Amino acid sequence: VPPGGNRSQYEEIDIPVALLSYTDMLDIGKSFGSSVKGAMYAPNEPVLDYNMVIIFVMAVGTVAIGGYWAGSRDVKKRYMKHKRDDGAEKHDDETVDVTPIMICVFVVMCCSMLVLLYFFYDHLVYVIIGIFCLAASIGLYSCLAPFVRRFPLGKCRIPDNSLPYFHKRPQVRMLLLAVFCISVSLVWGIFRNEDQWAWVLQDALGIAFCLYMLKTIRLPTFKGCTLLLLVLFVYDVFFVFITPFLTKSGESIMVEVAAGPSDSATHEKLPMVLKVPRLNSSPLALCDRPFSLLGFGDILVPGLLVAYCHRFDIQVQSSRVYFVACTIAYGIGLLVTFVALALMQMGQPALLYLVPCTLLTSFAVALWRKELAMFWTGSGFAKDLPQPPLVIAPVSCPELPKDGNVPTSQQDTEQMTNPTLHAKELHGPTSAAEEQADTDTTMDQSEISIAQSEEPAGQNKDDLESKCLNAEQKQLE
């Protein structure tokens, strides 16, 4: 049993102490008899370990892939929303726009949960583990579903039934994927304390969870990104550097909760981190298996900014300069975090270095490209930019007979507001091929409102909307 005492005085004690388990003592006694001599050896630990490289690759890769996926997916959102598909698997295409009120509520919840975990760790840790298993299985399903849908097998659907979820008749392959994802989460939940290999499953589930959150949560403006990152910057710094002056033990609340309290009765660890064991060949690894940790917040918070940069890149056609610059800035910020960790030999708030690197880089790129106003308010997006004209294919309609009850001035007004149809009437009927050619050549004319033009007889409104969306999608791409 480790010696007890006042934890604040541990640094003042310089008496070497070796701990030996009771079973090991019995085994030594059987092997060597009663005349056993021991010696103490303390090897020097390296400042940095190779596991930092693995954490760096996982973190930067997750941010880059998640930001790229979220940005590309958001461009096609309106197009896919109108595409009819009776499959149940299309319901995961919804996103959530984060508002300033949501940011404030989120930060208050984070502070409250962190304080509650500090005081009631042994009770709440199992709640967090359960939430992680559920969220990780959903994230893994969301990440693997696009690949499974490409498989030619298992497209058949289950029979009609009245069960809560199965009444939508999901495809067999998607049902098997859901079972697989839940099984992986359950395996991790059962064997989560196996230090030899459970960390691999935890990291895989954690990366899937982060990718799912990055493509689901969307920050619509750079102003919102700045607010979120700055508030969480203060939150991270406060709970790492300021709370040691407020706690009795002198320990940081953030570090204590992330690593697990040393006096915890359950010895459980929070799963909301990427963890990789030390990979050096130190003899101390035989006695203990220390891990290096990186919280999910250090991936998600800058990742939301990277996703915003990629969406803005696509909308203003900037060859992804914002996305690439912000991703590189994230990698540099993470490297600075590792250097600070090696120099100070204490837990570091990664957002202290990641937030300035990503925010300042994005701001500088927007200022350099003279797009700061659009970048700040998000006005570069398709709903606010002057859109390429969406011209409805002109149709050949006979000239409507003038109604005696309709004033001539009103008919002239209709012709003024519908120049395309008026021009087609002057040139006479045309073929379908000529109509399509006219559609292609009039893409750079002024947009003609559907509401202002006479609706062609027998023309389906949904077909017109589909043509508009297809033309807009081509122009955006």
Side-chain angles (χ1 to χ4, degrees):
V1 178
N6 191 348
R7 295 180 58 192
S8 62
Q9 296 179 346
Y10 276 176
E11 295 181 356
E12 302 175 7
I13 301 174
D14 56 1
I15 304 174
V17 178
L19 303 179
L20 189 65
S21 67
Y22 183 72
T23 54
D24 288 342
M25 184 196 71
L26 295 179
D27 184 55
I28 291 174
K30 292 179 181 179
S31 302
F32 301 99
S34 57
S35 58
V36 178
K37 293 182 179 181
M40 299 185 68
Y41 168 61
N44 294 324
E45 283 290 285
V47 177
L48 290 176
D49 192 78
Y50 299 116
N51 64 351
M52 294 296 185
V53 177
I54 299 178
I55 291 181
F56 178 85
V57 171
M58 289 194 300
V60 176
T62 302
V63 167
I65 296 174
Y68 186 88
W69 189 8
S72 301
R73 176 180 170 276
D74 186 75
V75 172
K76 301 179 182 179
K77 178 185 175 183
R78 285 191 296 168
Y79 173 75
M80 296 302 296
K81 186 188 298 183
H82 292 276
K83 188 176 181 180
R84 291 181 173 84
D85 194 336
D86 58 351
E89 58 269 14
K90 291 297 180 184
H91 291 281
D92 62 348
D93 287 336
E94 296 301 323
T95 57
V96 178
D97 286 344
V98 178
T99 62
I101 296 178
M102 294 173 62
I103 292 174
C104 296
V105 173
F106 172 73
V107 173
V108 171
M109 290 178 60
C110 287
C111 296
S112 303
M113 179 57 68
L114 193 61
V115 173
L116 288 174
L117 279 169
Y118 181 75
F119 289 105
F120 306 101
Y121 184 88
D122 290 338
H123 300 86
L124 294 178
V125 65
Y126 293 106
V127 177
I128 302 299
I129 291 174
I131 294 174
F132 175 75
C133 288
L134 178 61
S137 59
I138 296 174
L140 188 62
Y141 177 89
S142 176
C143 293
L144 296 180
F147 300 99
V148 173
R149 291 193 185 105
R150 296 179 180 271
F151 292 165
L153 304 176
K155 293 183 179 180
C156 56
R157 300 182 180 272
I158 64 175
D160 290 330
N161 57 84
S162 59
L163 296 176
Y165 172 76
F166 297 97
H167 72 278
K168 298 179 182 179
R169 299 186 61 204
Q171 296 180 351
V172 173
R173 58 184 179 181
M174 307 311 295
L175 193 59
L176 294 177
L177 175 62
V179 173
F180 170 76
C181 296
I182 295 175
S183 301
V184 173
S185 295
L186 289 177
V187 169
W188 174 85
I190 296 172
F191 300 100
R192 62 185 179 276
N193 292 321
E194 294 290 336
D195 289 342
Q196 299 294 330
W197 56 271
W199 63 272
V200 178
L201 274 184
Q202 178 174 325
D203 290 348
L205 292 173
I207 291 174
F209 169 75
C210 291
L211 292 175
Y212 171 72
M213 295 300 292
L214 287 177
K215 80 182 187 71
T216 302
I217 300 176
R218 183 179 66 172
L219 291 170
T221 64
F222 183 63
K223 178 171 62 177
C225 295
T226 304
L227 176 63
L228 176 64
L229 267 66
L230 289 181
V231 171
L232 291 178
F233 170 86
V234 175
Y235 158 84
D236 211 15
V237 172
F238 174 80
F239 279 100
V240 173
F241 289 145
I242 307 300
T243 53
F245 300 102
L246 306 177
T247 57
K248 293 181 180 180
S249 62
E251 293 288 338
S252 163
I253 291 181
M254 181 75 74
V255 176
E256 190 82 356
V257 171
S262 58
D263 56 351
S264 172
T266 60
H267 299 290
E268 294 284 356
K269 307 293 183 183
L270 286 181
M272 310 301 288
V273 293
L274 295 181
K275 55 187 295 188
V276 179
R278 297 288 179 87
L279 302 178
N280 57 48
S281 57
S282 170
L284 289 179
L286 300 175
C287 306
D288 189 15
R289 194 173 182 85
F291 287 86
S292 296
L293 310 176
L294 183 68
F296 289 168
D298 302 327
I299 297 175
L300 291 175
V301 176
L304 293 174
L305 175 59
V306 173
Y308 173 80
C309 289
H310 187 220
R311 293 202 316 274
F312 189 82
D313 274 327
I314 295 177
Q315 300 297 346
V316 301
Q317 300 179 0
S318 59
S319 302
R320 298 187 175 87
V321 60
Y322 289 93
F323 170 72
V324 174
C326 196
T327 304
I328 294 175
Y330 175 81
I332 294 174
L334 201 57
L335 289 177
V336 174
T337 305
F338 293 160
V339 173
L341 181 65
L343 295 178
M344 300 184 187
Q345 290 296 307
M346 60 178 295
Q348 295 293 312
L351 293 182
L352 173 64
Y353 311 99
L354 295 175
V355 168
C357 286
T358 53
L359 273 183
L360 293 178
T361 301
S362 304
F363 180 85
V365 172
L367 193 63
W368 169 61
R369 292 177 55 85
K370 299 180 181 180
E371 297 171 343
L372 185 58
M374 289 194 305
F375 190 64
W376 177 257
T377 60
S379 59
F381 289 114
K383 62 181 180 181
D384 297 319
L385 272 177
Q387 285 296 308
L390 301 179
V391 181
I392 307 302
V395 294
S396 174
C397 297
E399 183 174 359
L400 296 176
K402 296 185 178 180
D403 193 347
N405 298 326
V406 181
T408 306
S409 60
Q410 181 177 351
Q411 294 175 356
D412 294 338
T413 302
E414 292 176 355
Q415 292 178 352
M416 293 287 290
T417 57
N418 196 358
T420 302
L421 293 180
H422 182 59
K424 295 304 298 181
E425 291 168 1
L426 293 177
H427 289 82
T430 57
S431 63
E434 293 173 344
E435 292 172 1
Q436 183 63 34
D438 290 339
T439 302
D440 296 334
T441 57
T442 56
M443 284 299 290
D444 46 356
Q445 298 177 2
S446 61
E447 180 178 353
I448 299 177
S449 172
I450 300 177
Q452 294 174 342
S453 62
E454 293 287 329
E455 184 174 359
Q459 180 72 36
N460 192 307
K461 190 174 182 179
D462 290 340
D463 294 339
L464 293 175
E465 185 177 10
S466 178
K467 291 180 180 180
C468 290
L469 292 170
N470 288 333
E472 183 180 7
Q473 178 66 17
K474 288 182 179 179
Q475 186 64 22
L476 288 177
E477 290 177 352

